[in-house]
Amino acid sequence: MASFDFSGMTPKSGHSLHVLMICRVSSPGPGKQDIRSLDDQENMLRAWIKERYTGPTDVRVIRGTGSGERLNRKELFDASDAVENGDFDLVLCEDLGRIMRRMEATTFCEAAEDSSTRVIAVNDGVDTADDHWRMNAIFASMRHEMYNGDTSKRIRRSHRNRFMQGGVVGTVIYGYIKPPGSKTDDELQKDSSAEAIYDEWFTRLENGQSFSRIADWLNESGVPPGPYSRTQRWTHDMVGRISRNPILKGVRERNRRVSKRINKTGERKSVKAPPEELLQRECPHLAFIDAERFDRVSAMLEERNACYSRVRNGQRDVRAGISKKKTRFPGQCVYCGICGEMYVFGASGERPCLLCRGALHHTCWNGISVDAKLAVERICDAVFEAIENLADFDAVFIEHVQQEYAKLYGNVEGEIRNCEAALAEIERGLANVTRLVRDGIDSTTLREELAKLERDKVAYTRQLTTLRQRRKYQFKLPTVENLKEMAIVSFRDLARDSYDFGDKMRALVPRIVVFPYRLCDGGKPVLKARFVLRLASLCEDHYVGKLVDETLNVELEVDLFDPPQREQIRRAIAVGGFDGMKQREIGEQLGVSQAAVSEALLLQRRMDESGLAEAYQPLDEPPTDQAKLRRHKHKNYKFKRRPDAGEL
């Protein structure tokens, strides 16, 4: 057992003992842990250190809420940074579980030991000043993990048993009434007015209507969503969930899904539970739909929507367990130039396509999809061509960059002298305050001044270390050939449909904005992509990359479509020197019909009459003659535009 001996402990500053206290509760709120426990922990720790250390102390308290299993809590990052920077002499907590659970708590203690910071967990008997602290910390972490697991199993056992007895009644959907104070499903009641609604609901499903159409019908009929709904309007997702809920046939279910811990972050995600975990309880008095009819409609819906599933013909889900942020290029970087929303995978069609999220939610009229395969080819070709054609840096530019570097980072020696002078002044102040304390003069103001001087000393010491490291740096501007070589090396062994390729491309092209265009004589709307190629991301040196960032930016525009025949012929005629030739002769040379040549010349005439240099013109509003761009006609349509819409 740790002795918690402070007799030989000397503060790093030579004056006050800097103490970091960590307090945490898991889930504050009604029926959960009391938030006042944070105050109780802090008061206990303050009294504990006061009894054992008689010198002056400077205490900082990090208070947080959330599961100790989570490793991505902000307060945990703050504590880790403070420990790694060596700002404190002592980290004090009630037990290691207040910092974090699992074996990562031992890793935290080891990081503190590396920075000469002592860690004490009072109730666990862990003190890194003790030679055997690792064994104590490991057993304490194991004990907390076992207690956590045992508690979870007890709660799960109780909930399973109570559910089979009719308990564990949470929120109810539309059509059900939960009287105040009711605890079991025997006390739930059906709303008689919902009988006809659900009958018509399932009739519409049997007739092939979609969830969206049923949602529109419910909204038009003034049917309110359930009493616990977060929105006051029906949506297709809400209709789909309720249509599949077996409570409508009088069967309550539990454990369709379970939570699974993500060991990397400690967070939990919902996953499908094994079939043996499913619990069902018959509640005939809650049935709105006959069981045979419900099962028949459910099978029909599953068959009808099977084409939209990622799991087909018994194959595994290729996206199972993969973060939505982890996607192939150009996913997660294409934005709509009309509303500013991101383009997401999911547009209908045989090839993988992206569609504006605003169009999916009826907040944008731009329903033009992006062919992902074609977009990758066009954008990558434009990027690599721009890199290949990058001109050498001229002498004026090199001199300009060197001058900018000198302004920002060149006066390192002067900054070091200023920092050393400030530290010397702080040392004199500390010596004066210490002398007053030794002479018996003590006050709150004096202690505050002492704490301020010690904080300033830590800040200036850290700044001085950074400046001395920068003094060793030798500025060198990479040549254009170096940048080209780095680009080749970065992408040489990567397939264009790999995740690594997508990550590297998003570093070069972090934001792609697509705008709708249309030929001046009509036709199908198409998309053009605009983006800024940030070549500075290829620089391995942070300082150089920061200086040349804007200079090396190249703005590009790429067509994400294949132009129709009349536009291709028009371009060929414009550069082909066919003056004085007849249409039939031009067609024979280009290998097309006379009618195609005539259409191309009509397009050119339309451009000349309108004074246009380009055949494709931007669309600022939806055309009236396109059947696929009619989202603005939908009853639920409400245009929303993000403030950064259209920005590169």
Side-chain angles (χ1 to χ4, degrees):
M1 179 63 70
S3 60
F4 302 132
D5 183 16
F6 285 88
S7 58
M9 188 168 185
T10 303
K12 297 177 183 178
S13 64
H15 309 286
S16 299
L17 184 74
H18 289 261
V19 182
L20 176 65
M21 296 181 179
I22 300 178
C23 308
R24 182 187 62 82
V25 294
S26 294
S27 304
K32 298 182 180 180
Q33 293 189 355
D34 194 339
I35 193 66
R36 293 176 296 180
S37 175
L38 293 175
D39 295 329
D40 298 337
Q41 294 176 46
E42 180 181 343
N43 292 334
M44 185 275 287
L45 295 176
R46 287 183 180 275
W48 189 91
I49 191 66
K50 187 175 182 180
E51 291 176 1
R52 290 163 176 77
Y53 187 79
T54 57
T57 58
D58 182 14
V59 176
R60 176 189 170 190
V61 182
I62 293 181
R63 301 156 61 104
T65 60
S67 172
E69 293 182 339
R70 284 185 53 196
L71 305 179
N72 56 356
R73 291 177 286 119
K74 180 181 181 303
E75 55 270 15
L76 183 56
F77 292 146
D78 294 341
S80 299
D81 290 343
V83 166
E84 291 179 2
N85 294 332
D87 297 342
F88 293 89
D89 301 289
L90 172 66
V91 175
L92 189 62
C93 58
E94 190 177 42
D95 56 65
L96 287 181
R98 300 297 177 181
I99 303 175
M100 68 182 84
R101 298 190 186 277
R102 302 156 57 196
M103 293 305 172
E104 278 73 8
T106 305
T107 304
F108 178 88
C109 294
E110 290 180 341
E113 187 179 46
D114 290 341
S115 60
S116 301
T117 302
R118 186 175 179 180
V119 179
I120 293 179
V122 178
N123 294 345
D124 289 334
V126 174
D127 184 357
T128 55
D130 183 20
D131 293 338
H132 305 289
W133 74 265
R134 281 183 178 79
M135 188 65 67
N136 294 338
I138 291 173
F139 276 107
S141 300
M142 291 176 58
R143 187 173 67 252
H144 293 314
E145 183 76 358
M146 291 173 59
Y147 289 166
N148 200 33
D150 291 342
T151 301
S152 176
K153 290 179 181 178
R154 287 196 299 270
I155 294 174
R156 181 171 173 273
R157 174 256 300 158
S158 299
H159 282 179
R160 290 177 66 89
N161 179 66
R162 292 172 188 174
F163 175 83
M164 297 307 297
Q165 302 301 320
V168 197
V169 178
T171 59
V172 294
I173 61 175
Y174 165 74
Y176 295 97
I177 301 173
K178 182 181 179 182
S182 58
K183 299 294 183 181
T184 64
D185 51 30
D186 293 333
E187 300 172 329
L188 296 181
Q189 304 171 8
K190 290 196 305 182
D191 185 352
S192 58
S193 63
E195 290 275 4
I197 297 296
Y198 274 121
D199 181 67
E200 177 65 18
W201 183 324
F202 271 69
T203 300
R204 290 173 177 264
L205 288 175
E206 291 169 335
N207 292 335
Q209 288 195 11
S210 64
F211 295 150
S212 295
R213 288 189 60 186
I214 295 176
D216 294 339
W217 165 69
L218 291 170
N219 291 325
E220 292 170 1
S221 302
V223 178
Y228 298 94
S229 175
R230 295 188 181 95
T231 176
Q232 297 305 310
R233 290 185 60 83
W234 291 90
T235 64
H236 64 282
D237 290 334
M238 192 187 306
V239 172
R241 286 195 303 268
I242 295 180
S243 298
R244 299 184 180 94
N245 195 332
I247 192 65
L248 297 181
K249 66 175 182 178
V251 177
R252 288 184 64 205
E253 287 188 348
R254 181 175 177 83
N255 287 358
R256 277 282 182 187
R257 304 186 71 84
V258 295
S259 65
K260 179 182 178 181
R261 185 172 71 188
I262 304 173
N263 292 322
K264 183 178 181 180
T265 62
E267 292 183 325
R268 290 187 173 269
K269 63 178 180 180
S270 176
V271 298
K272 290 183 178 180
E276 60 271 15
E277 293 291 327
L278 179 64
L279 297 179
Q280 292 184 326
R281 172 178 165 80
E282 298 288 340
C283 302
H285 68 290
L286 299 179
F288 275 109
I289 305 297
D290 180 71
E292 186 276 333
R293 184 186 185 191
F294 180 89
D295 293 339
R296 175 167 46 81
V297 173
S298 297
M300 180 194 68
L301 292 176
E302 184 175 354
E303 181 181 356
R304 188 176 73 186
N305 297 324
C307 60
Y308 303 111
S309 175
R310 292 201 300 254
V311 182
R312 301 182 186 180
N313 302 324
Q315 298 177 351
R316 69 181 185 89
D317 184 358
V318 296
R319 292 289 297 179
I322 300 177
S323 170
K324 291 182 179 180
K325 295 292 184 182
K326 188 176 182 180
T327 182
R328 295 177 176 86
F329 187 76
Q332 298 289 330
C333 64
V334 179
Y335 294 86
C336 176
I338 301 299
C339 69
E341 289 288 345
M342 181 184 290
Y343 264 63
V344 296
F345 284 99
S348 60
E350 296 181 359
R351 294 174 293 185
C353 293
L354 297 94
L355 187 67
C356 172
R357 183 186 291 151
L360 291 172
H361 296 153
H362 294 96
T363 58
C364 178
W365 58 263
N366 180 20
I368 309 173
S369 60
V370 172
D371 183 345
K373 185 177 180 180
L374 179 63
V376 170
E377 293 177 358
R378 297 288 175 84
I379 293 174
C380 290
D381 290 346
V383 166
F384 296 136
E385 182 181 355
I387 294 175
E388 184 64 31
N389 295 333
L390 189 64
D392 291 332
F393 299 142
D394 56 29
V396 176
F397 172 73
I398 296 175
E399 183 181 358
H400 171 71
V401 173
Q402 290 175 340
Q403 291 175 355
E404 289 296 320
Y405 178 82
K407 291 179 183 178
L408 292 176
Y409 309 114
N411 192 26
V412 176
E413 296 297 335
E415 293 183 30
I416 290 177
R417 288 193 296 271
N418 294 336
C419 197
E420 290 174 342
L423 279 172
E425 182 67 25
I426 291 172
E427 290 291 352
R428 286 192 292 270
L430 287 171
N432 294 334
V433 174
T434 303
R435 185 172 60 255
L436 292 175
V437 173
R438 288 175 179 172
D439 292 342
I441 302 174
D442 193 8
S443 67
T444 303
T445 303
L446 201 59
R447 291 187 178 276
E448 291 177 353
E449 179 64 18
L450 180 61
K452 179 180 180 301
L453 289 171
E454 290 177 342
R455 287 194 298 269
D456 292 344
K457 180 180 178 180
V458 171
Y460 276 103
T461 301
R462 191 180 305 164
Q463 182 181 353
L464 184 60
T465 302
T466 303
L467 290 172
R468 286 172 176 168
Q469 291 175 348
R470 190 186 299 168
R471 181 168 54 183
K472 301 176 183 178
Y473 170 75
Q474 298 293 325
F475 173 76
K476 183 179 180 181
L477 181 66
T479 65
V480 170
E481 293 302 322
N482 294 145
L483 292 177
K484 293 179 181 179
E485 183 179 354
M486 284 186 280
I488 293 173
V489 171
S490 297
F491 294 96
R492 179 171 51 200
D493 300 325
L494 298 178
R496 289 190 174 184
D497 60 348
S498 67
Y499 296 124
D500 292 337
F501 179 86
D503 293 339
K504 291 183 180 296
M505 280 299 299
R506 279 185 285 270
L508 280 171
V509 187
R511 182 179 176 89
I512 301 171
V513 184
V514 293
F515 297 88
Y517 279 76
R518 193 184 191 190
L519 284 172
C520 60
D521 64 347
K524 180 182 177 181
V526 294
L527 291 175
K528 289 190 177 186
R530 298 179 197 163
F531 55 89
V532 175
L533 175 60
R534 303 188 181 278
L535 294 170
S537 63
L538 294 172
C539 297
E540 298 178 354
D541 193 309
H542 167 72
Y543 298 114
V544 175
K546 185 176 179 180
L547 284 172
V548 301
D549 184 20
E550 294 185 2
T551 306
L552 289 181
N553 288 347
V554 181
E555 187 171 335
L556 299 174
E557 182 175 277
V558 177
D559 294 343
L560 302 181
F561 60 91
D562 292 320
Q565 187 185 47
R566 66 183 185 279
E567 170 61 7
Q568 295 180 23
I569 297 173
R570 186 199 66 80
R571 295 178 182 178
I573 293 175
V575 298
F578 296 102
D579 296 340
M581 296 179 62
K582 297 181 179 180
Q583 295 182 6
R584 186 180 302 277
E585 295 172 345
I586 297 175
E588 290 176 354
Q589 288 201 19
L590 296 178
V592 297
S593 65
Q594 179 183 352
V597 175
S598 177
E599 290 182 0
L601 294 176
L602 285 174
L603 175 58
Q604 183 64 54
R605 190 177 303 124
R606 176 71 63 87
M607 293 173 56
D608 296 338
E609 293 173 353
S610 303
L612 301 176
E614 295 290 337
Y616 278 99
Q617 296 299 306
L619 278 176
D620 297 326
E621 57 184 17
T624 58
D625 59 343
Q626 289 294 308
K628 290 189 176 181
L629 293 182
R630 297 180 61 84
R631 280 175 170 77
H632 59 291
K633 299 290 186 179
H634 197 279
K635 298 175 182 178
N636 295 337
Y637 177 80
K638 185 178 181 181
F639 181 74
K640 293 182 181 178
R641 179 181 172 88
R642 295 174 61 91
D644 59 348
E647 296 181 4
L648 302 184

